[in-house]
Amino acid sequence: MHCVQRLGSDVLYLGGSDRRLSLFENVYPIPRGVSYNSYLVLDEKTVLLDTVDQAIAPRFFENLTFALNGRTLDYVVVNHMEPDHAATLLDLMERYPQVQVVGSAKSIAMIAQFFDAAAQERTITVKEGDTLSAGRHTFTFLMAPMVHWPEVMVTYDTTDKVLFSADAFGTFGALSGNLFADELDFAAEWLPDARRYYTNIVGKYGPQVQTLLKKAAGLEIAMLCPLHGPIWRKDIQWFVDKYQTWSTYAPEEQRVMIACASIYGHTENAAEIVAARLAEKGVRNIALYDLSHHHVSEMVSEAFRCSHLVLASATYNNGLFTPMENLLLDLKAHNFQNRTVAIIENGSWAPQAGKLMRELVDGMKNMRVLEESVTLRSACKEDQRAALEALADAVAADLLG
Ligand code: FEO
């Protein structure tokens, strides 16, 4: 049975949610599921904006059949060729042999890479500023390379002021009837997943997101329709401001994250002593994470949120204990920058973790490592309390300013 929902007089939501997939892109845990959004504009011409992941293909095609109600499909706009949105494109083209595929030159090239060259014969290549009229609606295409792949574009309905924003402004999380962000407690229940989605999927490409935000700033936007998660029609600027912060690698909050990679709990003990001292000094909302028990995507997201990081790690195989190594390599891969860091190392016979954490942090842009650092040799000893508290005091002074 179809699950079509109406967004406007002639704009319909045809997407759906996957609540069974455990790993998005086969790497990111999604305990709240994910939605694949697709939109249909019914005008003199019928225009579909993106298809969906193979996982929800049956429901999507039921939705499309119902929504078209016997009409033909004239155009499908491909804003993004990643399979979570385009895996069903060839199936669509076979079901609707007259449909024309509209996309950027790179999208059209990718059609032959994912499918076969014959599919390219029914395509219309568009570039920055090109338009397509469907009757009452006119669509303008704006290129958005690397948000999140090179072929990405966004589509602006100049008639109804709707921006179909591809991956931008998307979030993990299945939709449950309420399609609009203003029908949900987005800040409380969705923002962590929106942050984790942005930082892990698009976080590396801050400058390219900035370019898109500058283009969007010149548009009047009444509705923002991403390819994942809720649709925005109120308080759009609130979410745009989040993107502004994240894409400039500015901390979202003055807040400290203590990330600890501890084998038997001794390094964790040092992290707890630091946390207690920070609290004494008036620091609030301290978050201490044992990296072995959180997916690295959560920790990348949390690091993007916080202004200050305390990194505490054991030495392992004469290198870094792997949960800390994974986090720092992932942060570097996501272009993480502009933070203040304090370092605690542990090593029972040859501590290496501090030097290695420092090298990895120094490889990121505009990172400041506080002079106060601590070396443990196995368990914390009472005579090291002063050094741990000095480290905490330095973090607190910097944080509270
Ligand atoms: Fe939702 Fe980059 O695909």
Side-chain angles (χ1 to χ4, degrees):
M1 294 280 283
H2 78 84
C3 273
V4 174
Q5 289 183 259
R6 189 169 291 277
L7 304 178
S9 59
D10 53 6
V11 183
L12 304 175
Y13 178 84
L14 306 187
S17 290
D18 188 343
R19 298 174 182 82
R20 295 184 172 188
L21 184 69
S22 56
L23 296 176
F24 183 78
E25 289 186 358
N26 214 13
V27 65
Y28 301 112
I30 46 168
R32 297 176 62 245
V34 67
S35 77
Y36 305 107
N37 300 344
S38 171
Y39 305 92
L40 181 68
V41 176
L42 294 169
D43 201 337
E44 290 170 26
K45 300 286 187 183
T46 55
V47 182
L48 181 69
L49 292 119
D50 291 290
T51 59
V52 296
D53 188 89
Q54 197 63 252
I56 63 162
R59 180 64 39 76
F60 166 69
F61 284 114
E62 278 179 326
N63 285 349
L64 182 58
T65 301
F66 172 82
L68 286 171
N69 192 23
R71 293 185 64 182
T72 188
L73 180 63
D74 296 302
Y75 300 107
V76 54
V77 174
V78 176
N79 284 309
H80 188 9
M81 267 302 293
E82 193 168 3
D84 55 333
H85 310 294
T88 45
L89 181 62
L90 189 62
D91 193 351
L92 180 95
M93 293 172 76
E94 287 169 356
R95 288 167 186 249
Y96 298 92
Q98 72 295 333
V99 71
Q100 290 192 285
V101 181
V102 181
S104 68
K106 284 192 167 73
S107 275
I108 303 305
M110 282 186 185
I111 289 175
Q113 292 173 215
F114 279 104
F115 305 116
D116 59 49
Q120 288 179 305
E121 291 167 9
R122 289 157 48 193
T123 58
I124 300 171
T125 303
V126 293
K127 58 185 186 315
E128 179 78 14
D130 282 357
T131 61
L132 173 76
S133 175
R136 189 176 79 82
H137 295 264
T138 298
F139 299 98
T140 301
F141 304 105
L142 303 169
M143 300 301 119
M146 301 319 298
V147 187
H148 131 243
W149 277 16
E151 86 298 355
V152 170
M153 65 181 193
V154 300
T155 299
Y156 181 58
D157 176 352
T158 58
T159 309
D160 285 352
K161 315 298 182 200
V162 178
L163 183 64
F164 298 94
S165 60
D167 272 346
F169 305 106
T171 174
F172 297 132
L175 292 170
S176 304
N178 295 127
L179 296 181
F180 293 102
D182 58 85
E183 298 172 333
L184 303 160
D185 191 346
F186 192 92
E189 295 176 11
W190 286 77
L191 182 58
D193 259 343
R195 184 187 299 111
R196 191 163 66 90
Y197 173 88
Y198 173 85
T199 54
N200 286 277
I201 305 292
V202 199
K204 178 181 172 67
Y205 306 111
Q208 292 88 342
V209 173
Q210 281 282 298
T211 301
L212 177 59
L213 290 178
K214 288 189 179 88
K215 288 182 188 181
L219 305 174
E220 180 187 348
I221 300 173
M223 194 155 71
L224 187 56
C225 294
L227 286 177
H228 302 285
I231 297 160
W232 292 78
R233 60 185 174 183
K234 293 180 181 170
D235 301 324
I236 292 173
Q237 192 59 42
W238 178 86
F239 203 28
V240 171
D241 288 346
K242 292 290 181 196
Y243 264 60
Q244 179 67 23
T245 299
W246 296 334
S247 64
T248 53
Y249 303 97
E252 194 177 336
E253 297 176 33
Q254 285 296 111
R255 181 186 276 253
V256 63
M257 168 191 188
I258 304 175
C260 107
S262 183
I263 304 167
Y264 289 106
H266 300 111
T267 308
E268 182 189 19
N269 183 210
E272 286 177 328
I273 292 166
V274 168
R277 178 70 169 189
L278 285 168
E280 271 178 28
K281 288 287 176 181
V283 177
R284 297 294 176 256
N285 300 310
I286 303 161
L288 194 164
Y289 297 101
D290 182 333
L291 296 180
S292 298
H293 296 275
H294 295 273
H295 192 269
V296 68
S297 66
E298 290 177 41
M299 297 296 91
V300 166
S301 177
E302 192 64 2
F304 267 74
R305 178 160 76 129
C306 295
S307 57
H308 290 67
L309 277 66
V310 176
L311 305 177
S313 181
T315 302
Y316 198 70
N317 285 333
N318 206 31
L320 263 180
F321 189 36
T322 43
M324 179 62 76
E325 186 174 43
N326 288 345
L327 172 61
L328 294 179
L329 290 175
D330 219 1
L331 286 172
K332 168 90 171 112
H334 286 87
N335 210 8
F336 186 68
Q337 48 193 278
N338 301 330
R339 299 301 195 274
T340 300
V341 175
I343 287 177
I344 300 167
E345 68 171 348
N346 201 346
S348 292
W349 61 93
Q352 288 290 314
K355 174 173 137 315
L356 295 170
M357 284 190 281
R358 173 107 204 195
E359 285 172 4
L360 286 168
V361 170
D362 284 347
M364 303 173 204
K365 287 185 199 159
N366 197 25
M367 301 290 279
R368 188 162 64 97
V369 180
L370 296 176
E371 284 179 13
E372 292 79 0
S373 63
V374 179
T375 296
L376 307 173
R377 286 184 172 270
S378 309
C380 294
K381 298 295 176 184
E382 199 53 43
D383 63 3
Q384 291 178 305
R385 182 175 295 280
L388 289 167
E389 290 184 349
L391 181 146
D393 291 352
V395 172
D398 202 78
L399 182 70
L400 302 173

